[in-house]
Amino acid sequence: LELPARQSTLTPQTVLQMQDAAVEDYRLHVGPVNLEVRAGEVIGLAGMEGSGQSLFLRMCAGLLRPVSGTMSVNGQSMIGQSYQHFLAQHVKYLPADRLVDGLVAGLSLTEHFALTAREHRVLVNYRRAEQKAQERIEQYHIRATPDSQVQALSGGNQQRVLLSLLDSPITLLLLEHPTRGLDMESAIWIWSRLKARARQEGTAIIFTASDLDEVLHYSDRVLVFFAGQVSAPHESTSTSVEQLGRLIGGMIETEAAHA
């Protein structure tokens, strides 16, 4: 299978802006990060597992609060705002562990669509949820029925379910290992859907992946993480896998100075 041709769909509109933003947990401090992400742009995050990419994405999603610096979405400051406020700004996050953080084992596809419905009702519109599940099964080529339980699906189909649960509009889409464990055909299909969102809706995408070829091919720019340090953005078209390897190995400051 051949990878699809590179397509850049970024616009002048700034979606996410950070200035000296940093986040931390009990073992790692990540940052500071200075970054502007434009509508339609795809930012790839590269680095060894545990170097800070996950903390960074969770900060962008509103699940963790910055310990310093500023962060805004669509020109609105997000410092101190709740996760619900991030959702209201159409920021969506897909975690790495599909069944632990993304889907609910034991529930059917219909029940998942009922849970994600934004209708303010006392009673669940189960018939509408079932119809929506069937529509998304056909649209996303999911090998399942509305009554199928998500834990019984393959990894590729679980990822398709997660993507199908994302309703438009999406301003900023944050992804952890969107194609991990998938065959190449499924990975190419998933990226075709993600790039279609960027192209048609102006959705900005930030994702992390362990495959450096995937990071370079689908990204407009790349940030490299090493033990909490974050490099300056690198243009993917002028960056090689070998350069990324050196950055991942800890040569962030040296490489950034020559970028």
Side-chain angles (χ1 to χ4, degrees), residues 93-112:
Y93 167 65
L94 262 63
D97 198 322
R98 300 170 188 130
L99 278 179
V100 172
D101 298 317
L103 302 170
V104 184
L107 295 188
S108 68
L109 270 70
T110 296
E111 289 165 330
H112 276 80

Side-chain angles (χ1 to χ4, degrees), residues 5-253:
R6 282 178 175 271
Q7 290 182 328
S8 181
T9 57
L10 57 89
T11 70
Q13 178 187 352
T14 298
V15 169
L16 174 69
Q17 187 170 28
M18 293 181 173
Q19 185 171 357
D20 295 326
V23 64
E24 63 183 19
D25 63 4
Y26 66 92
R27 62 180 180 81
L28 188 65
H29 179 91
V30 180
V33 180
N34 292 285
L35 179 67
E36 285 191 8
V37 182
R38 289 169 286 176
E41 186 174 19
V42 180
I43 302 289
L45 310 180
M48 297 291 288
E49 199 78 17
S51 295
Q53 304 95 302
S54 180
L55 291 179
F56 177 78
L57 286 174
R58 288 172 181 266
M59 175 179 67
C60 295
L63 295 170
L64 293 174
R65 294 187 176 182
V67 295
S68 63
T70 63
M71 179 172 66
S72 63
V73 175
N74 290 330
Q76 297 189 26
S77 174
M78 305 303 284
I79 299 299
Q81 299 292 348
S82 68
Y83 177 60
Q84 292 299 322
H85 192 78
F86 279 76
L87 289 177
Q89 291 298 317
H90 308 298
V91 177
K92 301 293 177 69
Y93 167 65
L94 262 63
D97 198 322
R98 300 170 188 130
L99 278 179
V100 172
D101 298 317
L103 302 170
V104 184
L107 295 188
S108 68
L109 270 70
T110 296
E111 289 165 330
H112 276 80
F113 281 100
L115 282 173
T116 56
R118 290 296 176 183
E119 300 173 349
H120 298 286
R121 295 171 177 260
V122 177
L123 301 177
V124 175
N125 189 340
Y126 194 83
R127 183 183 296 276
R128 173 59 187 145
E130 186 175 31
Q131 292 174 346
K132 193 171 184 180
Q134 185 59 50
E135 291 171 2
R136 296 296 172 87
I137 285 172
E138 296 171 2
Q139 183 180 357
Y140 284 82
H141 309 295
I142 302 168
R143 295 182 180 178
T145 67
D147 294 328
S148 298
Q149 294 192 351
V150 292
Q151 76 275 10
L153 306 182
S154 66
N157 282 299
Q158 288 176 4
Q159 192 71 347
R160 290 170 190 247
V161 171
L162 275 174
L163 291 172
S164 72
L165 289 168
L166 297 174
D167 282 326
S168 299
I170 300 178
T171 298
L172 178 62
L173 181 56
L174 308 161
L175 306 160
E176 280 192 84
H177 304 286
T179 61
R180 175 182 280 174
L182 307 185
D183 60 82
M184 183 173 285
E185 184 177 7
S186 296
I188 291 174
W189 186 89
I190 283 174
W191 269 111
S192 71
R193 300 298 304 187
L194 294 174
K195 296 293 280 189
R197 278 191 181 273
R199 184 169 57 252
Q200 297 168 9
E201 303 174 19
T203 300
I205 298 173
I206 304 178
F207 78 100
T208 182
S210 55
D211 187 334
L212 298 185
D213 288 315
E214 179 180 0
V215 171
L216 284 178
H217 184 78
Y218 291 107
S219 302
D220 295 301
R221 294 185 292 164
V222 180
L223 299 180
V224 181
F225 288 68
F226 172 75
Q229 299 179 62
V230 185
S231 76
H234 291 257
E235 295 290 336
S236 61
T237 54
S238 58
T239 305
S240 67
V241 171
E242 290 75 17
Q243 287 175 304
L244 282 186
R246 290 198 298 273
L247 291 166
I248 290 170
M251 297 176 64
I252 284 181
E253 292 183 358

